[in-house]
Amino acid sequence: MIYWTSVALILISFILLKKNKTEQNFWRSIVMALISYECYLCMIAGIMTIVHIPVDTYTTACVNGIIAFALLIRTWKKKEVQSYYIKVEDTVFIIALMIVITYIFLKRFSTNFNIVFETSDPGTHLKMAMNFANTKAVDGLYIGQLINGLTIESLQRWFSGVYIYKSFIIQYGINFFLSAAVFWAALEKYANSIGLKIVGYILTLVYVLGYPYNDMLYGFVYLQMTITVICYIVILMQDYMAQDINLKLGGYLLANACLTVSIGYTLFAPPVYISVLLLIMYKAYKEGWLKKQHKLWFDYRFILNGLYILQYQRF
């Protein structure tokens, strides 16, 4: 339980941290916090592996505790807490979404969490997660092995031995929900009327019953997890372009997200990086960072922003 306690602590510290200038949708911020944590996990696991520190639930819990404590101290010193609002319709939708996702998940896997995937691909990913749990180190495209491995290790008290696959399936259900929630969160910024909100709710259900549901059936794992992170990047860029996020924190979160894409599904990395940099260029142009004399040259803020966001890709 120490691992999940540390996860709760770091999520609370992140939610309290002043990130945006304006009041934020609480449910959208919860989704952002959950994906931010997964991206953060990928970053610290990579660093710990490089410096030969075992990556397991105990060491991760220790790092989580230190980071959470530092964030809480910062929030207390600055006396700035992020403000939120809660819309009734969004609350009803999130609850309904959880019910729908749970129903689909249990209809497929039952309460016994049976193995009913359409391909043998999930077996490979379970093996990768077990290799991580045994070696306590990450390698290759490790987003799936890391997230699944930590869940498996943290639930060994309940599911061990021949039943260890049940933890893997539980994490699959969590991934399925997050894929829907982050898609809704990306649409939420544009839903400034009841009509648009309803359209967003419908589109979210249509989306989750498309590729995310297909992924749950066939068990590709890392592909859908990476698509979820890309949706998260879209949300970050919404706030970044609107100047509604702390520039330094926004750069850190984008850097972690870009890193996670590169170790999630590498083929997605080039278009994601190029898209992020093009948006930074557009922001620079729009805000007058680019100046014309005899030739076009980049303002130092553009160069620093681009390097800052992509700095972690040296992993």
Side-chain angles (χ1 to χ4, degrees):
M1 290 301 294
I2 186 173
Y3 171 71
W4 292 110
T5 301
S6 74
V7 172
L9 185 61
I10 200 166
L11 288 176
I12 290 171
S13 64
F14 185 76
I15 290 167
L16 292 176
L17 181 69
K18 178 76 172 178
K19 302 172 290 295
N20 301 83
K21 299 174 184 178
T22 60
E23 196 175 40
Q24 295 295 299
N25 185 308
F26 179 73
W27 297 116
R28 178 180 183 266
S29 297
I30 290 289
V31 175
M32 291 293 287
L34 291 169
I35 309 300
S36 295
Y37 176 71
E38 290 191 350
C39 295
Y40 148 86
L41 265 185
C42 290
M43 183 267 292
I44 64 166
I47 293 175
M48 290 167 70
T49 297
I50 289 172
V51 298
H52 304 294
I53 296 176
V55 184
D56 56 29
T57 53
Y58 294 105
T59 55
T60 304
C62 288
V63 175
N64 285 350
I66 293 169
I67 299 297
F69 182 73
L71 291 177
L72 289 171
I73 289 295
R74 182 183 185 278
T75 299
W76 178 74
K77 282 186 175 181
K78 287 185 171 289
K79 293 180 171 51
E80 292 180 339
V81 177
Q82 182 64 52
S83 57
Y84 297 101
Y85 63 86
I86 298 177
K87 293 287 183 71
V88 175
E89 58 270 26
D90 289 338
T91 303
V92 172
F93 173 73
I94 291 296
I95 294 172
L97 183 64
M98 292 179 68
I99 293 172
V100 170
I101 293 295
T102 302
Y103 173 78
I104 294 172
F105 176 79
L106 293 180
K107 187 75 174 177
R108 181 67 183 177
F109 298 104
S110 84
T111 54
N112 290 322
F113 308 126
N114 298 323
I115 302 174
V116 286
F117 293 103
E118 297 294 334
T119 69
S120 61
D121 204 48
T124 301
H125 294 294
L126 175 58
K127 181 180 179 181
M128 292 169 64
M130 291 305 301
N131 287 340
F132 158 75
N134 292 327
T135 62
K136 302 186 186 303
V138 294
D139 64 343
L141 304 179
Y142 62 79
I143 182 174
Q145 62 172 268
L146 174 63
I147 305 299
N148 291 323
L150 286 174
T151 300
I152 288 170
E153 187 179 350
S154 65
L155 296 181
Q156 279 189 334
R157 178 180 175 183
W158 294 275
F159 306 114
S160 59
V162 295
Y163 298 107
I164 210 159
Y165 68 88
K166 293 182 183 291
S167 300
F168 177 81
I169 293 176
I170 289 172
Q171 182 60 50
Y172 228 106
I174 295 172
N175 295 342
F176 187 40
F177 172 75
L178 286 178
S179 67
V182 76
F183 185 84
W184 164 78
L187 297 179
E188 190 274 335
K189 274 286 185 181
Y190 306 106
N192 48 22
S193 70
I194 292 295
L196 288 176
K197 279 181 176 291
I198 293 173
V199 170
Y201 300 154
I202 294 172
L203 286 176
T204 299
L205 291 174
V206 171
Y207 169 75
V208 77
L209 293 175
Y211 184 77
Y213 180 66
N214 180 76
D215 178 77
M216 189 183 74
L217 295 179
Y218 290 90
F220 300 131
V221 183
Y222 59 90
L223 189 55
Q224 178 56 52
M225 293 178 80
T226 309
I227 292 173
T228 297
V229 174
I230 292 174
C231 286
Y232 167 78
I233 290 175
V234 170
I235 301 170
L236 286 175
M237 289 307 300
Q238 287 174 346
D239 291 344
Y240 183 80
M241 297 300 290
Q243 301 183 39
D244 191 29
I245 191 170
N246 177 286
L247 184 62
K248 191 172 182 181
L249 177 62
Y252 165 77
L253 294 175
L254 277 168
N256 269 357
C258 287
L259 169 65
T260 304
V261 170
S262 68
I263 53 90
Y265 196 73
T266 308
L267 292 178
F268 287 155
V272 169
Y273 295 167
I274 291 170
S275 298
V276 169
L277 286 174
L278 285 176
L279 281 171
I280 295 173
M281 289 178 68
Y282 174 73
K283 181 181 176 69
Y285 172 77
K286 186 178 178 182
E287 297 181 8
W289 293 10
L290 303 178
K291 301 177 181 179
K292 277 189 175 180
Q293 292 179 345
H294 294 293
K295 59 182 179 178
L296 192 67
W297 58 282
F298 292 139
D299 184 274
Y300 75 96
R301 286 171 295 179
F302 167 73
I303 299 172
L304 289 179
N305 271 264
L307 291 176
Y308 185 65
I309 290 172
L310 300 179
Q311 65 180 314
Y312 294 146
Q313 310 324 308
R314 291 173 294 176
F315 268 158

